[in-house]
Amino acid sequence: MVTIDRNACNRCGDAKEKRCERICPGDLITQDEGGWPVVRPREDCWACTACVKECPVAAISLRLPFQIEQGAGVSLKASVKGDKTSWTITDHRGKEEKFTLRAVRKIVS
Ligand code: SF4
Ligand code: SF4
């Protein structure tokens, strides 16, 4: 399940279609009356992390699935630069751990 931090989100500069809205494969992200992105219905999110990686200001965080979550408040955030995605995981005590992965892209013809 994802959470969008309105203090960090800039609504993609008031673009008509937000980046997170465009990339969600399940069309779960829409806009409320004020143009803020919202995830509806939240329980349909399957935690693919596409929106987390797409947000240019790291406003979207993912609450990890119960299989790997150790307690309340555990979250995952991403920041993408070029072909690298830097992940920040925060545990239930607020301790952060960062790791960077290189994106592997396959061209399908
Ligand atoms: S991609 Fe990020 S900045 Fe843009 S609308 Fe979505 S949450 Fe806000
Ligand atoms: S994590 Fe994937 S399925 Fe869930 S809202 Fe984001 S893009 Fe959509």
Side-chain angles (χ1 to χ4, degrees):
M1 189 181 291
V2 296
T3 304
I4 300 174
D5 178 1
R6 287 194 179 185
N7 292 318
C9 171
N10 62 11
R11 297 188 296 186
C12 286
D14 288 329
K16 197 170 169 200
E17 185 181 38
K18 316 303 183 195
R19 290 172 66 152
C20 52
E21 186 180 9
R22 188 172 59 232
I23 201 145
C24 177
D27 286 335
L28 302 178
I29 302 180
T30 56
Q31 295 174 43
D32 68 9
E33 315 73 45
W36 293 98
V38 287
V39 184
R40 287 187 186 129
R42 285 165 61 101
E43 55 274 18
D44 282 355
C45 168
W46 61 91
C48 73
T49 74
C51 61
V52 178
K53 290 185 280 187
E54 183 68 7
C55 177
V57 294
I60 306 178
S61 58
L62 174 71
R63 187 167 175 238
L64 298 179
F66 69 90
Q67 290 95 333
I68 51 176
E69 186 177 354
Q70 296 298 309
V74 178
S75 68
L76 187 64
K77 281 190 163 192
S79 165
V80 179
K81 269 199 187 142
D83 65 348
K84 289 188 180 152
T85 304
S86 299
W87 294 95
T88 303
I89 185 167
T90 307
D91 72 12
H92 61 288
R93 291 175 297 242
K95 186 179 163 218
E96 285 189 353
E97 195 172 325
K98 297 175 190 282
F99 55 98
T100 300
L101 297 174
R102 195 155 168 221
V104 178
R105 292 193 173 88
K106 267 191 182 171
I107 298 174
V108 181
S109 54

